[in-house]
Amino acid sequence: MTLETDDIQGLLIRGYGRLDGACYVPMQFTEARRTQQWLHALLPLITPASQSPEDQAVHLALTAEGFRQLGIPAEAVATFSRQFKEGMTEAHRQFVLGDVAQNAPTHWQWGGPGREPHAVLMLFARDQAALEALLAEQKTQWEAAGIVALSRLDTHKLPNFREHFGFNDSISQPIIRGLSKAEETPAWNTLAPGEFILGYPNQYDLFPDTPHVALAADPDGVLPDVPPETPPRPPAKDLGRNGSYLVFRQMSQDVPAFWQYLKAHSQEPGATPEAAAIGLGAKMVGRWPSGAPLTKTPDQDDPALAQDNDFLYWNDDFHGLKCPGGAHIRRSNPRDWLLTERSAQDSQEMVQKHRLLRRGRTYGPPLAPSMDPLDLMQAAPDGQERGIHFICFVSDIVRQFEFVQNAWIRFHKFGGAYDDSDPLVGTHYQEEGVVTDSFTVPARPFRRRYKQLPQFTHMQGGAYFFLPGLRALRYLATFPLR
């Protein structure tokens, strides 16, 4: 099937790397009619995937409560996924995601009790000055509609594609089949569009469930019909086509704590304590600061491999002697390696059904402007918040995001470990006999064990959103309120 790029919001297709300025505005609606008028005026600015903008891009996503606030019939809201309707802060889900103790929603800056958003407006511009102008214009519009901004979430682009711990980021991204102009290789990293965009076949060669409205609820025929390939249901209008579920999690990063721990505890080979610290950091990440993967260069960084993503684990590093099984990139994307009794091919096929399409950005100033690990190690804490706005798209929240977060990132027994959560973004604690704050480096003759890892990242906000297609947005702006 050909992707309907004129109806898909562009953020699903590209991350706008040339648009340096960006900010996100989680907001609450107060009056449906005025919100509809605001949305109607916003529609011409929404950027479709068929365009590659040079100056600006605008996108909008809504929560389940946002759809309700707009007056969408309850029976239509009920057709969205259960996870989306319950929201990220539902009590059981807090445990599943690791949003407990200091990461609990009661401590969040937004998204927690009383500060749940109805939508998020996402703005991108060529530079900071252009972003400020776009934001000021939009603020005037949303305030006139009685919309309340819960926060202004700015971004800060770091040099050399680094994240705040000092490592090259966003290297491993799945390719959506049918979009790449180049030969779509490697095959293990090329996924069916239905994994991320509703209305197309997924890795199971099935159409994902789509939210829909009754025929009578779309008298003007703005929405397409629900296609016959989707699960059997009475004739209805497709509210989800060309849309996607958007997971947004704001996480702060404690950069001084990260490098202080590495320097104080590293037992990795290195001519100096600083080199040993960088070696341990690379083991935790699975890549060197340049981005070079440990599977290809286990003993030293190699900037020539900074963007290399064409590697697997089963044959080259099954036991994790190069890249530990608990390293962040190995947990978030095990590729062809899982401790099963089956084959590498089976592992690849299973992992493909749990991939995420990331579109996040960092925020806050760097602890050291150079982003060099040696400078980060020497820099004193400055009291400023910095971190990442983690944003990903999925067609199935529970099969993709929640599975990865719970079974691979958070779970302390992943890959045959005993008490190791993800060293970077896992939940680290010792409670009621359960230990999750260790990190294991396989080695011969003896493995190395690092214990009592601090919590290097902390949740500051989050929510589940839905990014509608452009026809769905037009429907939201024009359908008759009850």
Side-chain angles (χ1 to χ4, degrees):
M1 294 182 64
T2 302
L3 293 178
E4 300 172 337
T5 54
D6 283 338
D7 193 45
I8 299 171
Q9 291 200 51
L11 190 59
L12 261 169
I13 305 302
R14 54 182 58 87
Y16 303 125
R18 291 176 295 182
L19 301 180
D20 290 348
C23 74
Y24 316 117
V25 184
M27 51 180 50
Q28 290 179 340
F29 306 147
T30 59
E31 199 274 310
R33 177 61 68 191
R34 286 199 292 164
T35 300
Q36 271 195 325
Q37 293 169 349
W38 167 77
L39 178 55
H40 189 272
L42 184 70
L43 280 174
L45 297 180
I46 301 294
T47 308
S50 56
Q51 298 179 7
S52 180
E54 298 284 344
D55 294 318
Q56 69 175 43
V58 176
H59 296 291
L60 182 72
L62 295 93
T63 62
E65 186 58 29
F67 282 98
R68 297 186 188 101
Q69 290 289 328
L70 275 173
I72 296 296
E75 56 269 26
V77 177
T79 64
F80 283 92
S81 75
R82 177 174 63 85
Q83 297 75 30
F84 175 70
K85 289 180 293 187
E86 291 177 350
M88 189 179 288
T89 61
E90 187 268 336
H92 173 68
R93 188 153 294 109
Q94 293 179 41
F95 174 77
V96 168
L97 300 181
D99 296 339
V100 297
Q102 57 189 325
N103 282 332
T106 52
H107 301 304
W108 294 0
Q109 298 172 9
W110 65 276
R115 294 184 61 78
E116 301 94 338
H118 298 155
V120 61
L121 181 65
M122 313 176 79
L123 305 175
F124 303 84
R126 63 182 180 275
D127 54 34
Q128 193 61 33
L131 177 66
E132 294 297 335
L134 176 61
L135 181 64
E137 177 185 347
Q138 288 306 308
K139 183 179 180 181
T140 299
Q141 299 296 322
W142 80 59
E143 287 183 344
I147 296 172
V148 177
L150 296 174
S151 184
R152 169 179 167 168
L153 306 177
D154 287 305
T155 65
H156 190 119
K157 193 172 183 179
L158 300 176
N160 301 319
F161 306 102
R162 302 296 173 102
E163 50 71 49
H164 279 289
F165 290 140
F167 290 78
N168 198 338
D169 195 21
S170 296
I171 300 170
S172 179
Q173 286 276 40
I175 299 169
I176 299 176
R177 187 177 300 125
L179 281 182
S180 177
K181 295 181 181 179
E183 184 179 1
E184 295 181 341
T185 56
W188 59 262
N189 201 39
T190 303
L191 276 71
E195 288 298 297
F196 311 111
I197 310 173
L198 302 190
Y200 305 90
N202 59 22
Q203 288 297 114
Y204 294 95
D205 202 26
L206 298 172
F207 285 75
D209 285 350
T210 184
H212 52 277
V213 301
L215 294 177
D218 183 24
D220 297 327
V222 177
L223 298 174
D225 293 334
V226 172
E229 298 90 347
T230 53
R233 61 171 61 92
K237 307 295 284 188
D238 198 339
L239 187 60
R241 184 173 181 83
N242 292 317
S244 181
Y245 290 103
L246 185 160
V247 177
F248 195 141
R249 289 169 70 80
Q250 180 186 349
M251 292 180 288
S252 63
Q253 296 175 256
D254 193 340
V255 180
F258 178 76
W259 284 107
Q260 287 167 12
Y261 181 90
L262 299 183
K263 191 172 180 181
H265 295 88
S266 180
Q267 304 168 39
E268 303 307 302
T272 64
E274 291 77 12
I278 294 172
L280 178 55
K283 293 288 188 182
M284 289 183 175
V285 174
R287 294 181 184 270
W288 293 97
S290 75
L294 266 65
T295 52
K296 291 196 171 182
T297 175
D299 299 321
Q300 62 184 6
D301 202 346
D302 182 357
L305 298 175
Q307 296 298 318
D308 195 311
N309 195 44
D310 191 5
F311 59 90
L312 297 169
Y313 298 116
W314 187 282
N315 292 323
D316 295 335
D317 191 26
F318 185 86
H319 297 291
L321 294 173
K322 299 175 183 177
C323 175
H328 174 68
I329 70 163
R330 198 156 175 166
R331 283 175 170 270
S332 58
N333 180 11
R335 301 178 188 236
D336 66 336
W337 177 86
L338 282 175
L339 294 185
T340 70
E341 296 179 356
R342 304 184 71 179
S343 68
Q345 181 64 32
D346 291 329
S347 176
Q348 269 186 46
E349 291 177 358
M350 191 204 28
V351 169
Q352 284 179 324
K353 295 165 183 174
H354 302 289
R355 297 295 303 279
L356 316 175
L357 185 65
R358 294 179 296 148
R359 289 290 183 262
R361 294 197 177 200
T362 52
Y363 71 92
L367 182 63
S370 68
M371 294 304 300
D372 187 303
L374 294 175
D375 294 332
L376 291 171
M377 266 182 260
Q378 300 300 322
D382 60 3
Q384 296 196 61
E385 186 181 326
R386 53 183 56 86
I388 185 167
H389 295 304
F390 173 86
I391 295 170
C392 74
F393 290 109
V394 295
S395 64
D396 188 322
I397 292 174
V398 67
R399 173 170 63 86
Q400 293 168 279
F401 169 70
E402 290 190 352
F403 179 90
V404 171
Q405 179 69 14
N406 181 259
W408 293 350
I409 297 294
R410 180 176 177 272
F411 189 41
H412 57 288
K413 298 187 184 299
F414 170 83
Y418 292 96
D419 45 22
D420 299 17
S421 187
D422 186 292
L424 300 185
V425 298
T427 308
H428 302 159
Y429 62 86
Q430 296 186 22
E431 213 170 83
E432 299 179 354
V434 177
V435 178
T436 71
D437 61 354
S438 299
F439 177 66
T440 303
V441 176
R444 293 188 176 124
F446 303 108
R447 65 184 181 180
R448 295 183 287 275
R449 298 270 289 154
Y450 296 94
K451 300 183 178 182
Q452 297 181 328
L453 270 67
Q455 190 75 39
F456 296 128
T457 58
H458 299 85
M459 280 291 295
Q460 302 294 339
Y464 288 152
F465 297 90
F466 188 80
L467 187 87
L470 272 71
R471 280 178 292 186
L473 284 176
R474 188 157 55 251
Y475 171 76
L476 296 176
T478 58
F479 82 98
L481 291 171
R482 291 186 171 182

